[in-house]
């Protein structure tokens, strides 16, 4: 019998006290364990598995977004899972040795709430690649959304199959011919268009964008088309601005709405070329550049110059939310214990909104090798990786990521809008690629694409993957020295690094991601074990740790968070009405029941939580951190709001 205790009506719970009373809870067949997780807590479970098994399970995120990590019996991290915020977080892996596998569950960004973990389904590893994909997609059936998986090799479809439903209301299944919204996979098509126009002599990648869009603000330094393509422009992201200004992501969002937002911007996130910060705005602007030099609507030009020549008859730029797309997949998400529609009403293009099928994407991938449209030089140009002003080279090229996977060069990009989850990967050395399209928010397109590639091409990979994070520090530091580094660090845009201590090693969770192990190369300089990047701690003359720098394709500084406990009178100083000239919108801040609250006419009221003196955060993704400003007399004059892809947007206090 499963080991359960009735804790609440209708649910079975293992006593939560067990989670804090012992390092890990051993799962037995049939267990269904629910628990409440607290901020900064990690719950650990053990599953006894044999060598050569396929394991498929899920952690049901009932009231909390969690991050799940799995370690093998040798304490090697074999996978992290964080594809969705609600509903099942799929946990799928294969075993390579017998023993206890550890499943760790943590709240995303220290979130708290209830989840349920079940004993996973366990079976033998599939005998063929096709069977392996079927195993990976086994949880998607006639009552759930799902997706399509395709493998292209030598320009032809080697495998293509649909799983789950494209439309739950009409009972239409997903098939390789089902059109999907591609989200950010669209960016490589926009990049390709700009490269073709450069080949035709109609523009240069190093032109200032204001050459073609002169109504954009002059920031005193040029922003090039290449910087838009590399995400190094410094422009603020259109989606973050849209929502911060009062928009909702299920509104009808037109291209002209977004453009008007960008034209009103008067400050950049950073000097162009100084950093790499993902920015959808740049790709929206690139479509307007294309229209300026061609005199045609972007979708029409793409149809004539790219889609039709490649035989992509089911592909279109979906810039009209009222246009009918026959047989399209609709998007869904889990909420309140069941499935709901995830509404998407985009009427914009460039960064997103390509509609296509797995069959058409196979034709697109074929062009990577043949160059039948644009020639091979076009794809060579698309693979030119960005270079920062510092000289650091990025993985990101012109709308596509250029990296390596298990020893082979890889071109890839993923996408996520509403309930759509997509990934396209291509291995030039194999002339082979993987297409994964999903219509459920919890669908794990990125990790699934890697697993499909492993199934079909494992014998041609030249390495097993990145170094396993098992290492003790290269330089041994005593635990009391490591304890000085533990704490929360914050950057100027509101991002956080949580440094923890686990015995004789440090861990770091960056911006809510699952903590990674750190290995010391010196007393203040640490490598991210099994990952690219370093963390360098900033040490004061008195030996105190004042901050850290994350170094990966550039450098980002974080200061050590300074605790502050304001009195009620302190909070009252922030009360007032705040106006953003760039967004033309208001937020009202006040005190209620001893808490600071913010309110917007479209977003309602939400709490602001103290981070440090004059700095508050919210749980709303678009209103991440508000840093209040004071004049020389100490009077609050405004607040600057940051949300990751928007930094320091000024709201003036007007009363």
């Amino acid at each position: 019998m499963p080991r359960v205790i009735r804790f609440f009506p209708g649910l079975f719970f293992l006593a939560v006290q067990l989670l804090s009373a012992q390092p890990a809870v051993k799962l037995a067949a049939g267990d269904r364990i629910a628990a409440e997780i607290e901020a900064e807590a990690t719950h650990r479970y053990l599953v006894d598995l044999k060598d050569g098994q396929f394991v498929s399970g899920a952690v049901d995120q009932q009231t909390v977004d969690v991050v799940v990590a799995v370690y093998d019996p040798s304490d090697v991290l074999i996978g992290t899972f964080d594809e969705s915020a609600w509903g099942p977080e799929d946990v799928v892996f294969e075993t390579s040795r017998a023993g206890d596998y550890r499943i760790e569950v943590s709240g995303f960004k220290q979130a708290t709430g209830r989840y349920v973990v079940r004993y996973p389904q366990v079976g033998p590893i599939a005998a063929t690649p096709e069977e392996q994909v079927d195993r990976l997609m086994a949880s998607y059936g006639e009552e759930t959304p799902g997706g399509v998986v395709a493998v292209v090799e030598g320009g032809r479809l080697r495998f293509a199959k649909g799983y789950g439903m494209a439309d739950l209301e009409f009972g239409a299944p997903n098939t390789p011919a089902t059109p999907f919204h591609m989200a950010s996979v669209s960016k490589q098509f926009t990049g390709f268009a700009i490269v073709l126009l450069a080949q035709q002599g109609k523009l240069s990648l190093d032109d200032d964008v204001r050459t073609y869009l002169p109504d954009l603000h002059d920031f005193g330094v040029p922003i090039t088309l290449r910087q838009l393509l590399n995400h190094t422009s410094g422009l603020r992201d259109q989606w973050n601005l849209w929502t911060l200004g009062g928009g909702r992501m299920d509104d009808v969002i037109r291209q002209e709405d977004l453009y008007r937002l960008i034209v009103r911007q008067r400050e950049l996130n950073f000097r162009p070329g100084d950093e790499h910060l993902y920015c959808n705005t740049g790709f929206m602007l690139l479509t307007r550049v294309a229209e300026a030099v061609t005199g045609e609507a972007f979708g029409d030009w793409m149809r004539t110059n790219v889609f039709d020549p490649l035989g992509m008859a089911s592909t279109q730029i979906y810039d009209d939310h009222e246009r009918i797309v026959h047989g399209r997949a609709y998007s869904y998400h889990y909420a309140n214990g069941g499935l709901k529609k995830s509404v998407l009403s985009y009427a914009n293009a460039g960064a997103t909104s390509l509609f296509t099928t797995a069959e058409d994407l196979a034709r697109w991938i074929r062009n990577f090798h043949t160059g039948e449209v644009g020639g091979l030089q076009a794809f060579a140009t698309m693979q030119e990786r960005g270079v920062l002003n510092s000289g650091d080279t990025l993985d990101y090229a012109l709308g596509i990521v250029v990296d390596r996977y298990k020893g082979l060069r890889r071109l890839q990009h993923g996408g996520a809008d509403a309930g759509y989850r997509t990934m396209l990967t291509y291995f030039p050395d194999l002339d082979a690629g993987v297409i994964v399209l999903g219509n459920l928010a919890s669908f794990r397109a990125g990790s699934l694409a890697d697993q499909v590639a492993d199934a079909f091409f494992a014998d041609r990979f030249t390495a097993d993957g990145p170094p396993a994070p098992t290492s003790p520090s290269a330089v041994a530091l005593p635990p009391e020295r490591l304890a000085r580094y533990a704490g929360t660090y914050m950057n100027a845009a509101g991002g956080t690094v949580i440094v923890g201590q686990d015995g004789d090693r440090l861990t770091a969770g960056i911006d809510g991601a699952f903590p990674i192990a750190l290995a010391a190369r010196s007393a203040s300089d640490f490598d991210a074990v099994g990952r690219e990047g370093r963390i360098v701690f900033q040490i004061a003359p008195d030996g105190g740790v004042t901050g850290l720098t994350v170094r990966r394709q550039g450098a980002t500084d974080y200061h050590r968070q300074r605790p502050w406990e304001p009195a009620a009178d302190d909070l009252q100083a922030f009360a007032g009405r705040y106006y953003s000239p760039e967004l033309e919108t208001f937020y009202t801040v006040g005190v209620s029941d001893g808490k600071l609250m913010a309110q917007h006419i479209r977003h309602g009221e939400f709490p602001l939580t103290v981070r440090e003196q004059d700095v508050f955060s919210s749980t709303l993704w678009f209103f991440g951190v508000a840093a209040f400003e004071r004049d020389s007399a100490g009077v609050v004059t405004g607040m600057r709001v940051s949300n990751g892809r928007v930094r320091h947007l000024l709201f003036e206090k007007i009363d």
Side-chain angles (χ1 to χ4, degrees):
M1 294 293 291
R3 300 168 295 126
V4 294
I5 295 175
R6 185 175 295 275
F7 219 69
F8 296 122
L11 286 175
F12 292 96
F13 282 76
L14 183 68
V16 177
Q17 288 86 345
L18 287 175
L19 298 173
S20 58
Q22 59 188 49
V25 174
K26 193 73 174 276
L27 291 176
D31 276 354
R32 180 175 183 270
I33 297 176
E36 297 276 347
I37 195 162
E38 299 178 348
E40 301 187 31
T42 298
H43 293 178
R44 296 175 174 86
Y45 303 89
L46 297 177
V47 183
D48 186 11
L49 299 171
K50 299 177 181 178
D51 183 15
Q53 290 186 312
F54 176 80
V55 184
S56 176
V59 176
D60 186 8
Q61 304 167 115
Q62 296 194 339
T63 63
V64 63
D65 181 9
V66 302
V67 181
V68 182
V70 178
Y71 295 83
D72 77 1
S74 297
D75 202 34
V76 173
L77 176 65
I78 60 175
T80 58
F81 306 87
D82 184 25
E83 297 286 343
S84 66
W86 304 108
E89 187 70 74
D90 289 335
V91 179
V92 179
F93 60 95
E94 294 180 356
T95 64
S96 58
R97 64 189 69 191
D100 282 336
Y101 283 71
R102 188 171 80 253
I103 300 171
E104 294 193 350
V105 180
S106 300
F108 178 72
K109 290 189 175 180
Q110 304 180 54
T112 64
R114 188 174 66 249
Y115 69 88
V116 177
V117 61
R118 297 174 176 84
Y119 188 86
Q121 296 180 347
V122 179
I125 294 176
T128 67
E130 294 79 6
E131 289 179 6
Q132 179 74 346
V133 177
D134 286 344
R135 295 271 179 89
L136 293 169
M137 298 293 290
S139 60
Y140 305 106
E142 295 181 356
E143 296 182 356
T144 71
V148 175
V149 176
V151 177
V152 183
E153 190 169 7
R156 297 188 178 187
L157 277 171
R158 176 176 170 181
F159 174 86
K161 189 173 180 179
Y163 301 85
M165 308 304 290
D167 191 314
L168 292 174
E169 293 178 316
F170 293 95
N174 281 318
T175 76
T178 299
F180 280 76
H181 170 96
M182 295 304 298
S184 287
V185 173
S186 309
K187 289 181 171 67
Q188 62 195 271
F189 291 84
T190 305
F192 186 61
I194 297 300
V195 168
L196 291 184
L197 292 172
Q199 286 183 341
Q200 296 168 13
K202 294 182 178 179
L203 54 79
S204 167
L205 297 181
D206 297 310
D207 286 341
D208 184 346
V209 64
R210 295 187 71 250
T211 302
Y212 309 100
L213 306 176
D215 46 349
L216 292 176
H217 181 66
D218 183 356
F219 294 103
V221 60
I223 297 173
T224 68
L225 305 185
R226 188 184 300 273
Q227 288 169 335
L228 298 179
L229 289 160
N230 293 153
H231 300 291
T232 60
S233 69
L235 289 168
R236 291 166 169 158
D237 190 88
Q238 61 191 28
W239 304 132
N240 301 54
L241 290 171
W242 174 260
T243 47
L244 188 58
R248 291 193 290 259
M249 295 307 292
D250 57 359
D251 289 339
V252 174
I253 309 176
R254 297 176 173 85
Q255 193 86 334
E256 56 267 30
D257 298 331
L258 299 173
Y259 189 65
R260 283 192 291 266
L261 270 180
I262 304 308
V263 167
R264 291 202 298 269
Q265 298 306 297
R266 293 296 180 267
E267 294 179 314
L268 295 172
N269 284 335
F270 51 82
R271 182 180 175 84
D274 276 0
E275 298 182 40
H276 170 81
L277 182 64
Y278 198 88
C279 180
N280 289 284
T281 303
F283 285 80
M284 180 274 291
L285 294 178
L286 288 166
T287 66
R288 297 184 70 96
V289 170
E291 291 174 343
V293 301
T294 64
E296 297 182 58
F298 183 66
D300 293 341
W301 189 89
M302 288 292 290
R303 166 65 55 201
T304 301
N305 292 273
V306 179
F307 303 148
D308 284 349
L310 289 177
M312 299 174 68
S314 297
T315 302
Q316 62 173 291
I317 302 296
Y318 191 74
D319 53 6
D320 177 359
H321 68 288
E322 295 180 330
R323 188 184 304 150
I324 295 171
V325 181
H326 293 288
R328 62 179 285 184
Y330 204 83
S331 75
Y332 301 89
H333 68 111
Y334 281 99
N336 302 320
L339 285 164
K340 299 186 72 173
K341 292 181 179 180
S342 193
V343 177
L344 186 70
S345 300
Y346 284 178
N348 57 76
T352 182
S353 296
L354 181 85
F355 260 84
T356 191
T357 68
E359 293 174 343
D360 272 9
L361 285 173
R363 299 178 175 94
W364 171 251
I365 286 179
R366 182 184 65 208
N367 197 45
F368 287 12
H369 182 74
T370 65
E372 55 194 284
V373 173
L376 295 179
Q377 182 56 47
F379 280 97
T381 302
M382 283 188 67
Q383 296 171 54
E384 293 176 358
R385 296 158 61 189
V387 179
L388 298 179
N389 295 333
S390 65
D392 289 347
T393 301
L394 307 173
D395 288 342
Y396 206 94
L398 307 188
I400 201 163
V401 177
V402 180
D403 62 6
R404 302 189 74 82
Y405 181 74
K406 296 190 174 180
L408 293 185
R409 196 162 184 270
R410 176 176 66 174
L411 313 181
Q412 55 97 356
H413 209 295
D417 280 332
Y420 295 105
R421 298 293 183 267
T422 58
M423 176 60 74
L424 185 148
T425 67
Y426 178 68
F427 298 96
D429 295 336
L430 304 180
D431 186 23
V434 175
I435 300 161
V436 176
L437 313 176
N439 62 329
L440 179 63
S442 59
F443 190 80
R444 45 192 174 81
S447 57
L448 181 60
D450 289 345
Q451 290 171 310
V452 173
D454 291 342
F456 280 86
F457 308 126
D459 60 337
R460 282 174 276 180
F461 289 137
T462 60
D464 293 332
T470 59
S471 68
S473 298
V475 174
L477 297 176
E480 57 271 19
R481 178 62 182 264
L482 296 177
R484 294 165 54 190
Y485 300 124
T488 299
Y489 299 78
M490 186 169 67
N491 66 22
T496 58
V497 176
I498 299 176
V499 177
Q501 182 180 8
D502 186 3
D504 60 354
R505 70 173 185 174
L506 291 180
T507 62
I510 301 175
D511 292 332
F514 194 84
I516 57 176
L518 302 179
R521 58 165 65 188
S522 73
S524 61
D525 193 348
F526 291 73
D527 287 316
V529 179
R531 309 286 181 89
E532 180 185 351
R534 291 160 53 197
I535 288 180
V536 181
F537 290 94
Q538 299 157 11
I539 312 297
D542 63 1
V545 182
T546 60
L548 60 80
T549 301
V550 176
R551 297 188 180 277
R552 184 186 181 278
Q553 300 191 78
T556 304
D557 291 327
Y558 295 74
H559 67 267
R560 191 160 202 156
Q561 190 166 300
R562 300 174 286 270
W564 183 52
E565 296 183 5
D569 290 345
D570 295 327
L571 294 180
Q572 196 61 44
F574 304 112
R577 200 163 185 235
Y578 296 79
Y579 174 71
S580 167
E582 296 188 24
L583 297 180
E584 296 184 349
T585 196
F586 297 89
Y587 281 84
T588 301
V589 176
V591 180
S592 177
D593 295 329
K595 296 181 180 179
L596 199 64
M597 306 292 292
Q599 186 177 48
H600 188 278
I601 191 171
R602 293 205 72 199
H603 296 313
E605 189 176 52
F606 54 93
L608 298 178
T609 303
V610 176
R611 294 282 290 274
E612 57 186 19
Q613 186 168 357
D614 292 351
V615 179
F616 296 77
S617 64
S618 88
T619 57
L620 302 180
W621 70 270
F622 58 84
F623 198 101
V625 172
F628 289 88
E629 296 184 331
R630 299 176 185 264
D631 62 16
S632 58
V635 177
V636 174
T637 59
M639 65 177 178
R640 289 189 177 269
V641 177
S642 302
N643 57 22
R645 296 177 183 174
V646 168
R647 298 179 182 175
H648 318 305
L649 183 70
L650 177 63
F651 287 79
E652 301 166 350
K653 189 177 182 184
I654 59 174
D655 58 36

